Amino acid sequence: MTKPILKPGRKNPQIRTVHPTLPPAYRSRKALGFTVAAAEGRFCLQRCDDCGKLTYPAREACPACLSMNLRWQDVDPAGQLIAETTIRTSTNSYFRERTPWRTGTVMLDAGVSVLAHIHGDVTPQGRVRMIARTDKSGKGVMMALPEKEVENMADDKQLRELTCDPKHRRVLITDGRSDVGQAMARAMVNAGAEIVFVGLAEEWRGFPGQAAMTEIANVEIVPLDVTNTTSVQECAGEIGGKVDILINTAQHTRPGGIMGRRDVVTSRDEMEVNYFGLMRLMQGFGPGMKARGADGVNSACAWVNLLSVYALSNKPDFGSTSASQAAALSLAQCFRAEMAGSGVKVVNAYHGPLEDEWHQPLPPPKVSPNRLAREVTGALQQGLEDIAIGEVAVDVRGRWQEDAGVLEKELTQIEGM
Amino acid sequence: MGRWDNKRQPYDSVVAAVPVSVPYQRFTPDPAHWWLARALGDLLRGAGLHPADIDGFTVSSFTLFPDTAVGLTQHLGLTPRWLDHIPMGGASGVVALRRAARAVQAGDASVVACVAGDANHVDSFRNMLSSFSRFAQDASYPYGAGGPNASFALLTDYYMRKYGATRADFGRIAVAQRANARRYAPALMQEALSLQQYLDARPISDPIHLFDCVMPCAGAEAFLVMRADIAAELGLKTVKILSTIERHNAFPDDPVQDRGGWAMDKDELWDMAGINPDQVDFLQTYDDYPVISMMQFEDLGFCAKGEGPAFVRGHDLEISGSFPHNTSGGQLSVGQAGAAGGFLGLVEAIRQLTGTASDTQVKGAKYGVVSGFGMINYDRGVCSAAAVLAKGSQ
């Protein structure tokens, strides 16, 4: 039975902060297909389009018929543990610091045996269900969990290396003025966060929900204006060393594209928040989080970007905002590269139109702030890196993955033609 | 087994000779080239030959990069007309023997120097593991990076559950080998080992404990394969090749490896040799872990599948015992010098059958079997090979 992890005490400044090290990070190009699926939490194996054989590890050709048409496809994650070991010595620094480490061979019901990390509550020879996640190196791995939920399951030492569970962690919500920011703060408190810092620009201006927010014991309002470099630097100086999860809720969304606007004033405001604001946050909080990626139970573990799904492909009636979101996505990719090595996950949560005043003219379905907060919380608890929230985001991202070129043609064609 | 009938030709007029073992060292800064050169030099001096007399050359080494056998010809002053590089780890020795034997038999070469060796620098082992194979990089190294210890722990765990083997059964293999090693001066591990010490050792990757593991080291092994008439002219003591087998990626659908390619080919091995397992005077298995030696007892036909545990309980595996096994101490006690580990048993077998094994000599040894096993590409050893050898030349 997994023991619940305890709330860590105050950090002893005389004790060394554990330096982030990584599990083996190199993968072949084909194997990166598994990582892409793992980032979304999908358990996939290659299946041969021609003969149907399921195969693993990643291959260039089918070992049954030598077809070149292998595709990563979702596979039944049920299986049985048929051999196991507890590794007590490793040649890799990351694992050396974390032994004993349980791994094993799982025979999938789908007919393939695989090596995997094994949850502590899986019984020898027991039934398991597999998950695919990215590990601290950002690469996909498999882990076998008990078939059914068990007590304190998420607190398993090896599983927690794959997840970004808010439990006992300290969270910064960068903008608490919006409904999204407030929903996110409540969700983090409910998920067991030790403290939730909520950023607020222009504190002298009150906001709806302020009283309810300040009443929550674990919430602390902090001055933070993402459009102001000094403000971001001061906030990072104040709390940057104790932010384990950062969720950027600051967004500036306005309808309109190019020629409907006479100048770049509104577009500049969008960029100021959605792009430069993000960059200021990354410059202010990134280095501190990067250094604390292995800092115990409340290590830095996740940076969450809330991105319009139209960052992937422009939606002309919100065309200028889409452009700023595309800029933010590109920056997030750069940030992922710069954070690699820290073990901190950069989570991109794509959402469709929100149920807020700026999307009022759009038809449903739209994403409520509570749903957005709930799904981001779930993604952190599960350790996902790429998620789509809401029907529109799932649909648009699915079409983008299928054929980005076709999606662009669809989104940019004139209505009714 | 295959689609077409297969009539094997005997290895007429070909012999193996001049067993060479360059004493191993735990760590040295010398590169693989040094070890291979030293082995080749000992081989030539032992045979009374000059480099120009060698017209065939085969090399096995993990640490020769960026060179291959090609670079070594220029480096070592050889001008062979037959050249091979065999990257099969623990199966390299038998595979080198059978390839060289056919080349000599067909006249493509007259005298083939078969050499294996590896360096061991302070960080060599970690570097080798982290880039061993694509499947290992993609799908086994990220799971704890336990290396072969973890891979064989899974095989051992599976085997123990399926066939009821105990740690003490594997201990019998390791303890007997240590006793043998104490009669082989170059073995790196010379301290006596009791079954209790074996059982009390610290766990490495459960159920693998310390004395189940080989120690990486530097070293080299070599032998000659040549025309029988040339050997006679040089006055060399020789060994005859009765039969050989080789198999790769056998039983790919077994969920965990509990048998090797020998199980596919053992009938052919004994048919071609014209003897049966009872006539064998000693066995040299590839012993990177005791479980693999036990599998070889079964899969080569010395006992039935699953009877390995009973077999080791019923036999004395020491040099003077009822079933002499890994008579120089095997890799478990001599050390694992990379690809040279794949030659260790074969070179010792040639010593045994030429009556030059000195303190490890099995009295009256006439027939010996050597088997090889290599390359944990992902979750199992892919290569297997074996040879039946006999004393004499014809």
Side-chain angles (χ1 to χ4, degrees):
Chain A
M1 183 79 72
T2 303
K3 288 197 188 113
I5 46 171
L6 301 175
K7 181 180 159 182
R10 182 173 286 276
K11 189 171 174 178
N12 180 346
Q14 289 187 307
I15 290 176
R16 174 185 74 103
T17 298
V18 175
H19 185 80
T21 51
L22 297 184
Y26 180 79
R27 298 290 191 280
S28 67
R29 184 165 188 271
K30 270 285 186 274
L32 290 177
F34 181 81
T35 290
V36 170
E40 298 174 16
R42 291 189 298 123
F43 182 70
C44 286
L45 296 181
Q46 283 178 305
R47 189 186 289 280
C48 177
D49 275 348
D50 292 324
C51 77
K53 183 173 174 80
L54 217 50
T55 181
Y56 184 82
R59 287 178 162 90
E60 303 294 329
C62 172
C65 73
L66 291 181
S67 161
M68 307 307 287
N69 303 317
L70 298 178
R71 270 194 305 139
W72 292 97
Q73 292 179 33
D74 290 8
V75 170
D76 178 4
Q80 186 182 352
L81 181 64
I82 57 171
E84 68 170 290
T85 184
T86 301
I87 296 171
R88 295 169 194 278
T89 69
S90 173
T91 55
N92 170 279
S93 303
Y94 171 85
F95 287 115
R96 280 182 81 87
E97 282 184 311
R98 287 162 181 79
T99 52
W101 192 270
R102 192 179 185 204
T103 66
T105 306
V106 171
M107 186 69 206
L108 298 173
D109 293 355
V112 177
S113 64
V114 298
L115 295 184
H117 300 304
I118 310 294
H119 189 283
D121 287 328
V122 172
T123 52
Q125 311 293 294
R127 295 285 305 169
V128 299
R129 68 186 157 89
M130 305 295 292
I131 56 169
R133 296 288 184 270
T134 51
D135 67 9
K136 294 285 185 193
S137 78
K139 299 297 164 51
V141 291
M142 298 181 184
M143 183 163 183
L145 305 181
E147 197 170 33
K148 297 192 178 70
E149 199 72 19
V150 296
E151 213 177 329
N152 306 315
M153 192 161 149
D155 288 356
D156 177 78
K157 178 188 81 164
Q158 291 182 214
L159 179 56
R160 205 167 148 102
E161 286 293 301
L162 304 181
T163 64
C164 305
D165 200 324
K167 184 177 171 182
H168 297 322
R169 284 195 163 105
R170 298 154 299 184
V171 182
L172 170 61
I173 311 291
T174 59
D175 180 12
R177 192 175 289 281
S178 66
D179 289 345
V180 166
Q182 292 170 37
M184 203 66 79
R186 284 192 300 271
M188 287 298 122
V189 169
N190 291 338
E194 184 191 324
I195 186 164
V196 178
F197 301 106
V198 176
L200 190 61
E202 301 171 342
E203 277 180 290
W204 49 269
R205 280 170 54 209
F207 62 92
Q210 184 170 13
M213 204 49 2
T214 44
E215 267 171 27
I216 304 174
N218 305 39
V219 167
E220 185 181 327
I221 307 280
V222 293
L224 177 60
D225 178 355
V226 303
T227 66
N228 181 322
T229 303
T230 307
S231 166
V232 173
Q233 294 292 346
E234 281 178 359
C235 183
E238 198 72 34
I239 63 167
K242 46 187 177 182
V243 171
D244 308 323
I245 297 173
L246 185 149
I247 303 174
N248 183 21
T249 52
Q251 275 191 333
H252 193 81
T253 300
R254 294 293 181 271
I258 302 163
M259 286 182 280
R261 293 179 183 174
R262 296 176 55 196
D263 54 38
V264 298
V265 173
T266 306
S267 302
R268 182 172 281 148
D269 288 345
E270 290 159 357
M271 291 296 280
E272 203 57 64
V273 176
N274 297 345
Y275 178 75
F276 289 114
L278 178 59
M279 188 179 238
R280 287 186 193 98
L281 289 169
M282 289 168 171
Q283 289 170 337
F285 289 90
M289 291 180 74
K290 187 170 181 176
R292 289 190 47 257
D295 194 14
V297 166
N298 54 3
S299 64
C301 67
W303 178 293
V304 181
N305 299 307
L306 301 182
L307 296 168
S308 163
V309 75
Y310 297 111
L312 297 173
S313 194
N314 195 284
K315 179 177 170 60
D317 53 350
F318 280 80
S320 176
T321 291
S322 293
S324 69
Q325 291 285 328
L329 170 57
S330 186
L331 199 65
Q333 290 170 337
C334 178
F335 192 56
R336 267 190 184 154
E338 292 190 16
M339 292 298 277
S342 70
V344 176
K345 282 185 184 176
V346 177
V347 180
N348 285 341
Y350 300 98
H351 57 80
L354 300 176
E355 199 76 76
D356 69 9
E357 55 185 346
W358 293 105
H359 293 97
Q360 181 266 330
L362 294 184
K366 288 187 270 188
V367 180
S368 72
N370 280 335
R371 178 170 180 192
L372 189 69
R374 190 171 66 241
E375 296 207 16
V376 165
T377 306
L380 290 170
Q381 288 166 332
Q382 292 180 63
L384 309 184
E385 277 187 51
D386 282 297
I387 58 167
I389 300 171
E391 293 75 9
V392 171
V394 169
D395 175 61
V396 170
R397 193 179 60 151
R399 283 148 71 192
W400 176 79
Q401 284 171 330
E402 194 179 302
D403 194 324
V406 169
L407 176 64
E408 182 191 325
K409 299 294 176 241
E410 289 178 311
L411 289 175
T412 56
Q413 69 189 343
I414 299 170
E415 293 270 342
M417 294 293 278
Chain B
M1 283 284 174
R3 183 169 167 187
W4 293 284
D5 282 342
N6 170 25
K7 180 81 180 91
R8 299 279 301 272
Q9 305 292 316
Y11 293 98
D12 288 337
S13 311
V14 184
V15 293
V18 197
V20 165
S21 298
V22 181
Y24 295 180
Q25 291 182 44
R26 176 72 170 112
F27 292 112
T28 73
D30 299 312
H33 304 67
W34 187 95
W35 289 94
L36 294 162
R38 171 76 197 277
L40 181 67
D42 287 359
L43 200 56
L44 295 185
R45 283 184 288 275
L49 293 171
H50 298 284
D53 301 326
I54 299 291
D55 63 352
F57 186 42
T58 173
V59 176
S60 296
S61 179
F62 289 109
T63 53
L64 194 55
F65 184 83
D67 287 346
T68 65
V70 175
L72 274 189
T73 62
Q74 192 169 28
H75 197 127
L76 302 180
L78 299 177
T79 310
R81 58 179 176 142
W82 184 93
L83 185 66
D84 205 349
H85 191 111
I86 300 176
M88 296 185 196
S92 296
V94 172
V95 171
L97 173 78
R98 71 199 300 269
R99 286 189 186 177
R102 291 306 188 197
V104 169
Q105 192 179 9
D108 292 350
S110 302
V111 181
V112 180
C114 303
V115 183
D118 267 300
N120 194 40
H121 309 150
V122 171
D123 205 24
S124 293
F125 189 63
R126 187 183 65 84
N127 287 329
M128 187 177 78
L129 287 188
S130 59
S131 58
F132 194 75
S133 69
R134 170 170 149 168
F135 278 8
Q137 285 181 326
D138 281 348
S140 79
Y141 199 55
Y143 296 93
N149 293 328
S151 303
F152 281 91
L154 295 175
L155 267 62
T156 306
D157 179 58
Y158 187 79
Y159 185 93
M160 289 170 81
R161 287 178 202 281
K162 188 164 176 182
Y163 299 112
T166 64
R167 283 194 59 220
D169 295 329
F170 299 123
R172 282 186 173 82
I173 294 173
V175 167
Q177 287 189 202
R178 181 60 58 86
N180 293 347
R182 283 160 63 79
R183 295 161 66 169
Y184 180 66
L188 291 183
M189 278 147 285
Q190 294 283 357
E191 272 186 48
L193 176 67
S194 70
L195 187 59
Q196 197 55 50
Q197 284 172 313
Y198 170 91
L199 292 170
D200 292 343
R202 71 183 166 93
I204 300 295
S205 188
D206 311 15
I208 297 283
H209 291 61
L210 185 64
F211 296 113
D212 294 308
C213 305
V214 296
M215 185 169 81
C217 62
E221 306 270 346
F223 58 90
L224 288 180
V225 174
M226 63 206 303
R227 267 175 26 210
D229 63 311
I230 299 176
E233 185 185 318
L234 294 169
L236 300 176
K237 292 174 180 162
T238 61
V239 168
K240 211 162 60 162
I241 305 158
L242 297 186
S243 69
T244 67
I245 51 171
E246 172 181 342
R247 184 66 66 174
H248 307 281
N249 195 32
F251 312 116
D253 295 326
D254 286 358
V256 177
Q257 184 169 43
D258 67 343
R259 53 184 171 166
W262 316 283
M264 279 181 81
D265 301 303
K266 68 168 184 290
D267 291 346
E268 182 177 307
L269 180 75
W270 296 112
D271 284 351
M272 185 179 175
I275 65 167
N276 61 56
D278 296 342
Q279 293 172 267
V280 170
D281 298 301
F282 63 83
L283 170 65
Q284 314 286 355
T285 63
Y286 189 77
D287 62 327
D288 45 1
Y289 295 83
V291 68
I292 292 302
S293 292
M294 195 174 282
M295 273 186 213
Q296 285 161 86
F297 298 158
E298 297 170 344
D299 296 347
L300 288 167
F302 292 97
C303 61
K305 192 75 219 168
E307 286 179 8
F311 185 83
V312 298
R313 287 171 211 156
H315 284 91
D316 177 351
L317 305 176
E318 292 186 29
I319 291 163
S320 54
S322 58
F323 190 80
H325 172 242
N326 288 354
T327 47
S328 66
Q331 298 180 85
L332 285 170
S333 283
V334 180
Q336 181 176 60
F343 273 50
L344 179 81
L346 179 49
V347 169
E348 170 68 6
I350 298 171
R351 277 193 292 263
Q352 289 287 347
L353 294 172
T354 51
T356 57
S358 168
D359 293 343
T360 68
Q361 185 68 51
V362 174
K363 286 210 179 65
K366 195 173 164 206
Y367 296 113
V369 172
V370 183
S371 73
F373 176 74
M375 309 303 282
I376 305 285
N377 188 57
Y378 165 48
D379 61 340
R380 63 194 67 199
V382 170
C383 312
S384 60
V388 181
L389 305 175
K391 185 178 174 133
S393 62
Q394 288 302 321

